[in-house]
Amino acid sequence: MRIELLGLLSLVLGGVVLLAPPRMAFYVIVLSTLFGAAAAFGVPGLGGASVLVPSLLLAFFCLRLFMAHGERPVFAAVSSSSPGIWLLLLTVYGVFSALFFPRILQGVTETMIVLRSSAGHRIIDLTPLSFSSNNITQTVYALGGLFCFAFTYAYLKRGGTARDVVNAMLVLAVANLVFALLDVVTYRTGTAHLFDFIRTANYALLTGSEKAGFKRISGTFPEASAFAGYTIVLFAFTASLWLDRMRSMTTGVIAGLLLLALLLSTSTTALVSLAAVMVFLSWRALPATGPHGVTGRPAAIALALLSVPLCFMLVLVFAPGFADGVQSFLDETLYSKLSSQSARERMQWNAVAFQVFLDTWGWGAGLGSARASSYALVLLSNVGLIGAILFALFVGNTLMLRSDAGRYERAATRAAKAGVFAGLCEAMISGTVYDLGLLFFILAGSAAALRSEPVAAGAGSRTRLETVS
């Protein structure tokens, strides 16, 4: 087993977390999600599969919260009054399917899976259904998502505040922007190797590509599409805060920079997801008719939408050369995407995944047994119709939560739900595996916990909504 430099640093940081207040543990787990391509160590017995830094630090986060508050708030996170009950049922079913379905249905169908070698090589190929290391790794990730949701919920119910969620997410967004800028600078200066220490996972790295003359930003991630999928969640969260007039100057600037980074990532998935997120946020900007009467910024949204065609016409008139560059960019990013080799491969993945769903009579091939290019087909091919329904109940109940706490908590809850929605949009378009990442479950756990006042006595008074006129 090879331990990476960041793995050693994570072990040291984990030890510090166990001795520090729970608040530090929460900030550490949130910020660790930024290192999506950093391996703590590799496991040769699983074909060289990487244990990521966030997964390692998650263990310390859970242990620290358990030491501080015990098991009661964790069980509350997956009780019948929480959306977590559906996530618990989904995870239990997923683990059961991973252990038994590939063996019971062995050879019934063929699936697309990642084949790993002990030398670290990875290929995606069509193979007869059988039990593999992918069933083990995806089971571990599924359990990690459940624990992340439950212990985030526990932290916010036992002393954590909405301010912690907002502050941690804003720091995370700024850090993401800093690494995105460094990614471009190191690429242009020929020093991209300086980022090698945070790109150590057993993934295919596509960090040096360009499109229409633009460097595709990948930040701390193995490719631009992964960076874009992560960034759109942060954009939705900060833009929602701005709509609710929370720290307007800070959230507005950060949301604008995140939007720029999304566009420069040149990810087709990001652009399509962004359209759905903008519709969601525009609907959110309408004056609320509920009892709380929270009003967004409908005038600002309308002005921004109306200014787009005007700006486009001005560019055509005064900078025809730039317009040609934009046309080339759009052609490579959107118009010719469906005819690309990558698109044809992903369509084949989806066709195979749907056939797996049919061949297994709707039960699925087992968690980790199939790969697709849409999260809906990932669910159907892995955990079948039952798993897809349980996931829909979990996400639906999370998005329909209404906070009955203070104004600050309501704004933070709405921002967390916007982030969950953005992550779901990205996954539905191009998600390839069951794991949605720890950030998704941190936001889902936050939305579930912040809907009401904390249960701990003496947890402190809630903060008030900060506005900037």
Side-chain angles (χ1 to χ4, degrees):
M1 182 175 67
R2 178 185 175 184
I3 300 180
E4 304 289 345
L5 173 61
L6 283 184
L8 292 173
L9 295 177
S10 297
L11 289 173
V12 173
L13 181 58
V16 173
V17 162
L18 294 180
L19 302 175
R23 177 171 281 106
M24 178 180 176
F26 178 73
Y27 276 77
V28 166
I29 192 61
V30 171
L31 294 176
S32 73
T33 62
L34 183 60
F35 300 97
F41 54 87
V43 184
L46 294 178
S50 300
V51 175
L52 300 181
V53 167
S55 299
L56 178 60
L57 289 174
L58 175 64
F60 289 99
F61 170 67
C62 295
L63 180 57
R64 182 64 187 93
L65 266 293
F66 182 79
M67 291 166 54
H69 306 302
E71 74 284 354
R72 178 174 293 183
V74 179
F75 288 152
V78 292
S79 66
S80 59
S81 62
S82 166
I85 183 62
W86 302 112
L87 180 61
L88 174 63
L89 294 175
L90 171 61
T91 305
V92 170
Y93 180 75
V95 171
F96 177 86
S97 72
L99 294 176
F100 296 103
F101 286 9
R103 294 182 170 93
I104 296 173
L105 302 173
Q106 183 171 353
V108 167
T109 186
E110 291 185 316
T111 67
M112 283 284 186
I113 62 171
V114 175
L115 302 177
R116 298 185 179 92
S117 68
S118 58
H121 300 298
R122 303 167 71 251
I123 61 171
I124 300 174
D125 200 6
L126 185 64
T127 62
L129 175 61
S130 63
F131 187 83
S132 70
S133 62
N134 295 280
N135 298 111
I136 300 175
T137 55
Q138 286 301 307
T139 294
V140 172
Y141 284 130
L143 291 171
L146 174 64
F147 281 115
C148 186
F149 173 91
F151 279 92
T152 297
Y153 182 100
Y155 168 71
L156 293 171
K157 285 295 188 181
R158 292 299 180 102
T161 66
R163 182 182 293 276
D164 293 333
V165 177
V166 171
N167 287 344
M169 291 296 294
L170 291 180
V171 171
L172 179 64
V174 172
N176 186 50
L177 289 169
V178 170
F179 276 108
L181 177 61
L182 292 175
D183 179 40
V184 175
V185 171
T186 54
Y187 175 78
R188 295 299 181 188
T189 58
T191 57
H193 60 276
L194 295 177
F195 263 24
D196 288 348
F197 77 102
I198 59 174
R199 293 169 177 161
T200 53
N202 186 14
Y203 297 151
L205 299 179
L206 303 172
T207 58
S209 60
E210 293 187 8
K211 183 170 288 187
F214 294 93
K215 198 280 178 189
R216 303 193 68 195
I217 299 177
S218 54
T220 56
F221 296 87
E223 59 179 350
S225 60
F227 166 80
Y230 186 85
T231 301
I232 197 169
V233 174
L234 299 177
F235 167 75
F237 186 93
T238 52
S240 178
L241 292 177
W242 179 76
L243 288 174
D244 282 337
R245 303 179 185 274
M246 177 184 288
R247 306 182 192 179
S248 296
M249 182 63 69
T250 300
T251 56
V253 170
I254 293 176
L257 292 174
L258 289 170
L259 177 60
L260 179 62
L262 274 174
L263 297 176
L264 293 179
S265 73
T266 68
S267 168
T268 305
T269 299
L271 295 178
V272 177
S273 301
L274 182 61
V277 171
M278 292 300 290
V279 170
F280 177 82
L281 292 175
S282 298
W283 170 76
R284 279 276 318 278
L286 297 175
T289 57
H292 300 304
V294 178
T295 303
R297 300 173 184 265
I301 296 293
L303 180 62
L305 293 176
L306 291 174
S307 66
V308 170
L310 177 60
C311 292
F312 181 73
M313 288 186 290
L314 290 175
V315 168
L316 290 178
V317 173
F318 295 106
F322 179 77
D324 292 340
V326 172
Q327 173 64 29
S328 176
F329 165 77
L330 292 176
D331 180 65
E332 290 190 33
T333 306
L334 294 176
Y335 306 147
S336 62
K337 187 68 174 180
L338 291 177
S339 61
S340 67
Q341 178 66 25
S342 174
R344 288 194 293 269
E345 288 180 357
R346 290 177 177 271
M347 289 179 185
Q348 181 187 8
W349 296 358
N350 287 339
V352 171
F354 186 69
Q355 188 61 47
V356 168
F357 172 71
L358 297 178
D359 290 344
T360 57
W361 307 285
W363 289 100
L367 184 60
S369 294
R371 192 180 184 94
S373 187
S374 170
Y375 197 70
L377 287 169
V378 168
L379 289 172
L380 291 175
S381 60
N382 282 262
V383 291
L385 187 60
I386 293 177
I389 292 173
L390 290 173
F391 178 80
L393 289 171
F394 166 63
V395 172
N397 278 271
T398 300
L399 293 178
M400 289 189 294
L401 289 172
R402 296 183 64 88
S403 175
D404 56 2
R407 294 180 65 196
Y408 202 105
E409 286 74 16
R410 291 202 301 273
T413 301
R414 286 154 64 90
K417 291 194 294 183
V420 169
F421 178 81
L424 187 62
C425 287
E426 186 274 335
M428 286 298 175
I429 296 171
S430 64
T432 58
V433 293
Y434 174 85
D435 178 41
L436 289 171
L438 295 186
L439 184 59
F440 179 89
F441 294 104
I442 288 172
L443 292 176
S446 299
L450 293 175
R451 59 178 172 163
S452 59
E453 296 293 344
V455 299
S461 59
R462 289 297 182 181
T463 53
R464 294 180 178 275
L465 180 66
E466 296 179 14
T467 61
V468 176
S469 58

